[in-house]
Amino acid sequence: MKRNKPLALVAGAALITLAACGGGGGDDEGSTGGTDREFGDQGAGTKDEKLQGPAEAIEGATEGGTVTVYVAGDPGPNSLDPTEGWSVLGNSIQQALTSRSLTQYKRGPDGEPVLVPDLATDLGTPNEDYTEWTFTIRDDATWEDGKPITGEEVAWGIQRSLDAEQFPSGPGTEYSKAYFEGGQDYNGPYTDKGKAYDAISFDGQDVTIKMSKPFPDMDYWGAFMAMGPAPLGKASQPPNYGQDPLSNGPYKIEKFTVGEELVLTKNDQWIADSDPARHQYVDEWIFKFDQDQAKVDQIMLSDNSDSQTAIATSIGSDKYKQANEELGDRLVQQTAQCVSTLTPDYTKITDINIRKALAYAYPYNDMWLATGEVPGVTRVPANSVMPPGMAGKVDGFQPDGEQITFNPEKAKELLTEADAVGYQINMVYYETDPLAVAGQKQLTKGLETAGFKVKATPIQVSPYDIWLDPENKINKTLNLRGVNWCSDWPAGSTMLPPLLKTGAVYNTAQFSEASVDDEMDNIATLPLEEQADAWGALDEKIMTDYFPIIPTAFRNDLFVFGTKIGNPSGDAALGAPNYKDFYVMQ
Amino acid sequence: MSQPTAPETLGSLSDETPVDPNSKQAKAIAGRSPMQIALGRLVRDKIAMVCAAVIVFFLVVAIFAPLICKLFGVSTDTVFASQYLDMLGGGMPLKGPPNNGFDPEHPFGIAPQSADDNLAYWVYGCRTSLTIAASATLFASVVGIAVGLLAGFLGGIVDKVLSFFIDLFLTIPFLLAALTIAPILNDRFSLNDNYALIQKFSLVAVLAIFGWMGMARLIRGEVLSLREREFVQAARVLGMPTSRVLIKELMPNLAAPIIISVSLMLPAFVAAEAGLAFLGIGVTSGASWGQTISKAVKYFEEYPLYLWEPLIGVVLLVLSLNLLGDAIRDALDPKTRR
Amino acid sequence: MFAYIVKRLISGFLVVVLVSMAVFALFWYGPSKPAQAICDRETSNRCGDRIEIYQENLGYNNPIYSEYGKFVKGIFAGREITFGATTYQCDAPCLGLSYNTKQPVTEELVSRLPATASVAVGGAFLYLLFGIPIGVAAARRRGTVTDKALVSSFLFLSSIPYYLFALLTWLYLTVLWEAPFVSDVGYFSPISDGPLKWFGGLFLAWVALGIFGCTQYTRYTRGAMVEALSEDYIRTAKAKGLPARTIVYKHGLRAALVPVVTIFGIDFGILLAGTIFTERIFEIQGIGWWSLQAVGNKDLPVVAATAMFSAVMLIVSNLIVDIVYSILDPRVRLS
């Protein structure tokens, strides 16, 4: 899932990260008095297919109040169309508050995400080889106009996700198109108007989806709001529907100004009994997008009447010390289930020792400082592609024996061993962003100290424009790229194949090993309970045997809560504030 | 903010009392050229002299930037940030200001987040500022003088067309134009090996393209009146070629307005360069005062020195240039003194 | 008289057309792939080959004159604009659709106008409120210590770059000292948020603009007053024994104001065209702020529209000033 930020504001090293959802979250450590925050054990994600509404009441919760959420440096979603939603920010708000889908996540007792039913009565029924899934839509769920949600509307909503022309940035382009039967040839109900598509069918409240290949993660995919209902026909016609979609969650859209503001008010047609995980304590939500970080920090640290019922989704690194000392458990650290990587070109840098030398030559702490992160807090050292808390991750293994840190001497040794001292590195950096420029300076210094030669070309477009375009002239000259990637759900299948399968779009390392590809295909056919461990083992094997990608950091977010926000916590599934469970203390 | 300068309207700061033409003093200065008279006036203007001293200081800093850095043992080279900064303390320096007093290795302190040396960046920022402003002034003046001379001297249709262009450029909002054009130029040239240099050139070009009109207008006006004067008429009657009339006869008489114009153009360009960098346009690689200011704004409470260093640099330089320019105008153009 | 106005109107119109052509061409030939920004945004940076679809949709493959024609037609009759798979209706006067929000640029421009207009009106008001009385006072006391002190302190003030002056005002008054009344800067609608909040939000911006801008007016007024007060008719008035107050304000100021008012007209146009620094520093979400944001987002239609809007504001204010001046001072028309 991508983090939508205006390009100018995002650090080049931390540009747009794609994919999120998933993972565990030992967060709100509640450390006070300026101690270093440590991560608790990451509880891996679980499922609870029997959970029914209403959601368990939050202890001490009271009704009423308005919550203002300040979002710094991110303009928010362009469109609220559920089919289009694939950003951490937009999805975390809409999935929690306005747009229901087949399944959803609930915050478990240890902060881990638990997959529970939403509009469906359970987590779906697959056939034996996961090529056909059936979901039964509950009868008591309603739209904001009071009408019941039908199986037909859910089927229609899901069908919309196949329209890659109409929703080019929607998550359906990645999953519906790839897994649904005939998804590659069918371009959706708007582009292929009138064309029949029978992989998605409904019978009363039962919705059945046929797959072209085994898709054991359909229940996770069902937690995306793209896998939810849409009103039939004209009523959900894009692009207008995206400005004011019909809500079916506990809140409805009162006002939406792109890039500025989203106001949500109570949806009195929402029936608490129909929803196993959402609450409706707060009267009104105001999301303010694209705020100035310094201004937000100032508001949140002042503890005046405005900030007491406010939430900030980030804090400036310059204010971290003060916030950590003053805010206590109102500063919440949340794993974002994301990994930042450097990707040496596997076809050009063929010697594993040079790839390892790069890992030792990367000045981790210096990069994080220069790009406005808090080392060890918002960025933590990484050991592999799968982020901590993901089911199956092998804990504590290190691809090179111990945690790789910045060690130019070791890098030099490796380079000497590979007979490649003075190895030429060609890379690009996003010159429009001062933080990216500062980061590149540190990186160049690190690589050069370790004995590499560096040619860093400044570019004016997002590096992904270069990295992802195989025909691009500059891209052909590069031998070091990068990707930041977040999981879409807590399973290795959303981390390893997108980054390391031959020919995958985001495989900027150009990594290709037939045995690895085969293993990835193989895992999808294993019994469900064995898959997690199989992914973890593959993760370890790839890193140990090939080291094709240099994981530079796992990412965490910091959220700030006002003194009157009840139950301050993070949503581990999305790496966002846990909007489902907040209340305002009266 | 980008007002064309209108030299004929300003009051004066000069302390000089009007000289009675029959006094001894007046007799003593008889036989000096107007330039010498003006220079004499300027030297006696205390404010002007203080400003000139400040400007000389900045010039020295700019010219001897590498030497000064060597002297203090600082450089603009990147250092590993984590060795000098408090990682959990908001990226603040471990040594030196703002929390730990003076650090002799970094007299101006170091920058938070990146640990760049502030003194080195200040010194090179001064260099950037002055080079860009001076080059822009040079280009804008050459264009302005050429257009003004041609329009004023040739008259007729040429004058009409050129005047139209002067007016046209005056109606384009400078700041917005610069904001728009600079990224386009960067986009075009970012792959070039000399990108850093091209970036500076494009900034100079943008400044010059929107800065020549004031000069052109002024020169045109002067030439219009000079053209009808006897010595020019005489030269033309004698059959002197136009180019010679322009250069030999007209130019010397235009020295005063040109000097005035240039002296007011410089501070405007220094301010514009820093302002654009503050908005995130212009020089992105290398040192620039405006860029440092925009980075430092968020630290103004925790680390005010970081903000004030470049800020004082810009203010002092622009202020001195402006005041000196004003004094030069007064000295050259006694009519404005009332 | 009438002929002069018609002449100025025609040339003003010509300038508008030329400027719009120049801006259009700049965004046409400038970026190497003008559609890149929208394509990136639509596809989450997986643009790749799709760039051609957007280049084609947005007409970048057609000759520039035909696209300029469409643009002009859009201003008068509206047009349809296609991004990827979706076609949007853009009603007249259509200046295009924002790449960012896909809303008609005209609508957003209109919605941001009140903020910029509020800044402009308040700032311009203070130009005159401070500038003219101080200028008159200085002129009346010409040569005295007061005059010198006023002139030199104003010269000093105006020699500081404006944006730094504004920045410091904001940092210290609003952020650090949280001075009452100006602690909540920004534009608030006088109708929905109440006039008091509107006033408080803009107050500091006005004062910063006003104090800085009035220095010029003080100079102009002082200069013009000094000249006016040395005219023969003033001497006549003095000789008649009229009270000093009447002479200064009724006879002197009236003559002195003509050039001041004309400069004011142009300045007001500049303010209306968007005060980028003021809006950026005082967080006023007007046209200047918007254009700055659009430059950062590479939102070409918005940048083009704001550039054209600003140019038109300047041209129109120049035009009005010229015409008004020609009415006030008949000598102008003859030259």
Side-chain angles (χ1 to χ4, degrees), chain B residues 128-129 132 203 207 268-278 281 283 288-289:
Chain B
T128 309
S129 195
I132 287 179
L203 186 61
L207 289 173
F269 283 141
V270 171
E273 188 273 327
L276 287 176
F278 173 70
I281 305 291
V283 177
S288 157
W289 279 341

Side-chain angles (χ1 to χ4, degrees), chain B residues 338, chain C residues 138-148 222:
Chain B
R338 291 206 181 93
Chain C
R140 288 183 68 185
R141 291 167 185 77
R142 180 157 63 97
T144 65
V145 180
T146 325
D147 175 37
K148 277 187 181 155
R222 182 181 170 280

Side-chain angles (χ1 to χ4, degrees), chain B residues 70-136:
Chain B
K70 223 178 195 172
L71 203 67
F72 285 97
V74 296
S75 78
T76 53
D77 294 346
T78 308
V79 293
F80 287 121
S82 64
Q83 294 171 6
Y84 300 91
L85 303 178
D86 181 3
M87 290 200 275
L88 291 173
M92 281 295 168
L94 289 169
K95 279 166 84 184
N99 300 325
N100 304 304
F102 182 75
D103 176 7
E105 282 172 41
H106 304 283
F108 274 27
I110 56 174
Q113 275 196 22
S114 65
D116 288 331
D117 182 84
N118 288 345
L119 176 62
Y121 270 79
W122 194 84
V123 166
Y124 277 94
C126 175
R127 195 179 228 196
T128 309
S129 195
L130 280 173
T131 358
I132 287 179
S135 333

Side-chain angles (χ1 to χ4, degrees), chain A residues 33-44:
Chain A
T35 48
D36 294 353
R37 278 161 194 262
E38 290 282 329
F39 280 91
D41 287 333
Q42 308 286 337

